[in-house]
Amino acid sequence: MANIAFIGLGNMGGPMAANLVKAGHKVTAFDLVEASKNQARSDGAAIADSAAAAVKGADTVITMLPAGKHVISVWTDVIPSMARGALIIDCSTIDVESAKAAHALAAKHGMASVDAPVSGGTGGAKGATLTFMCGGDDKAFAAAKPVLENMGKKLVHCGAAGAGQAAKICNNMILAISMIGVGEAFSLAEKLGLSHQALFDVASTSSGQCWALTSYCPVPGPVPTSPANNGYKPGFASALMVKDLTLAQDAAKAAGAATPLGKHAQEIYKAFDAAGNGGVDFSGIIQHVRSLAGK
Ligand code: NAD
């Protein structure tokens, strides 16, 4: 049984902390929002008065926060209160530069650290089936592994500090581009009088095959579990896709990489979001694609 501090009990962090309690760990949690703390308390976590108080005596500290500035602020606050030899893991999706700066803060105080952003959404957080993409040295990854395994089913050690965040934004850039591509193909098929099922049956077994088509089909019917069958209720909200595409564009600029389709995907998702669809599942982008016809 480990002694774990968990900071950031939102849509993802709340159920992740609950899974650590279920696995038999002692969890001390903190969030700024009263309702999130109450939920964590009823899930079996102890609630601390502050983030710095939560980490006292913990062998592992986990943060699950909105963005890089929150992670830097919380890590700056808690690291001086952590026990010697403790490990700190950030599971938020943040920019690569902030992730590296957070690792540097930990290293300055002699703490092991891992960036471990996730994929799998709130369903994966609840069901402990997340995928963790990890960055950090071998020793830190080895220490993080048994803790993360209580919240997910797949862990990949992607490389040194920041490599987990790099993998996350590259993956989501592929996903955004391929979802728009699949949406365009169905929109064209509709205009050509080709049924959704016929296009699915061909493309899912041909070279057009991809996850956006076969696991998350953006039209109702072919994949019964996809959000298209449920009014495009997320799933993974378009506002979060805009966030990840923006992180990818920032990283591409900083690193001098050319990502023309990633840039275009960001513009398309931003327009969808600005039209009031930030809370719509990202596969709903097919509606935006259809609305562009004739423009
Ligand atoms: P959320 O907004 O529901 O939760 C964030 C929590 O952090 C909130 O409860 C907030 O009160 C808390 N917080 C903010 N500043 C704090 C501070 N200084 N001290 C303590 N608590 C603080 O967000 P979420 O959906 O849980 O996402 C968390 C992270 O995971 C984000 O980086 C997001 O991009 C990423 N992510 C989300 C999903 C998803 O489907 N929701 C999927 C993959 C990755």
Side-chain angles (χ1 to χ4, degrees):
M1 184 178 100
N3 189 347
I4 300 170
F6 205 113
I7 298 156
L9 306 164
N11 294 321
M12 296 293 289
M16 288 165 72
N19 282 327
L20 291 171
V21 174
K22 265 189 219 152
H25 299 295
K26 177 175 183 277
V27 177
T28 306
F30 180 72
D31 194 288
L32 299 174
V33 175
E34 211 52 43
S36 303
K37 289 195 274 194
N38 290 339
Q39 181 61 50
R41 191 180 284 114
S42 69
D43 289 336
I47 303 301
D49 289 338
S50 67
V55 306
K56 289 233 163 75
D59 8 270
T60 306
V61 174
I62 301 176
T63 52
M64 191 51 164
L65 298 163
K69 63 178 183 200
H70 306 98
V71 174
I72 295 293
S73 153
V74 168
W75 280 38
T76 304
D77 180 29
V78 303
I79 284 173
S81 301
M82 284 171 61
R84 274 186 105 75
L87 165 72
I88 182 161
I89 306 171
D90 179 49
C91 294
S92 329
T93 302
I94 66 171
D95 59 290
V96 177
E97 290 313 307
S98 294
K100 287 182 180 167
H103 278 276
L105 271 172
K108 204 170 130 199
H109 287 81
M111 303 288 171
S113 55
V114 174
D115 55 293
V118 302
S119 79
T122 51
K126 286 190 189 110
T129 56
L130 294 169
T131 293
F132 288 91
M133 295 152 254
C134 303
D137 64 32
D138 290 346
K139 206 171 151 217
F141 176 71
K145 199 165 175 272
V147 175
L148 297 179
E149 278 170 348
N150 297 133
M151 301 180 285
K153 65 173 180 19
K154 188 170 166 75
L155 272 77
V156 181
H157 188 194
C158 300
Q165 298 294 349
K168 165 86 186 173
I169 57 175
C170 288
N171 177 72
N172 279 18
M173 187 174 77
I174 297 173
L175 177 60
I177 293 168
S178 56
M179 184 55 81
I180 295 168
V182 171
E184 288 187 8
F186 276 108
S187 304
L188 175 59
E190 287 162 3
K191 295 280 185 198
L192 297 175
L194 179 64
S195 76
H196 290 161
Q197 192 63 48
L199 174 59
F200 181 85
D201 289 346
V202 171
S204 63
T205 53
S206 306
S207 44
Q209 192 277 332
C210 62
W211 188 91
L213 176 71
T214 54
S215 294
Y216 218 81
C217 189
V219 295
V223 178
T225 51
S226 76
N229 300 283
N230 189 20
Y232 297 99
K233 197 168 160 260
F236 186 61
S238 295
L240 285 173
M241 185 55 96
V242 171
K243 174 190 170 181
D244 291 359
L245 288 168
T246 303
L247 292 175
Q249 283 310 293
D250 292 347
K253 252 185 231 122
T259 53
L261 287 183
K263 184 166 187 287
H264 200 181
Q266 181 204 30
E267 288 160 2
I268 291 171
Y269 271 102
K270 266 190 172 170
F272 188 54
D273 192 359
N277 297 307
V280 173
D281 185 76
F282 81 104
S283 61
I285 201 69
I286 188 170
Q287 297 165 329
H288 178 75
V289 170
R290 288 191 187 111
S291 76
L292 298 175
K295 282 188 187 161

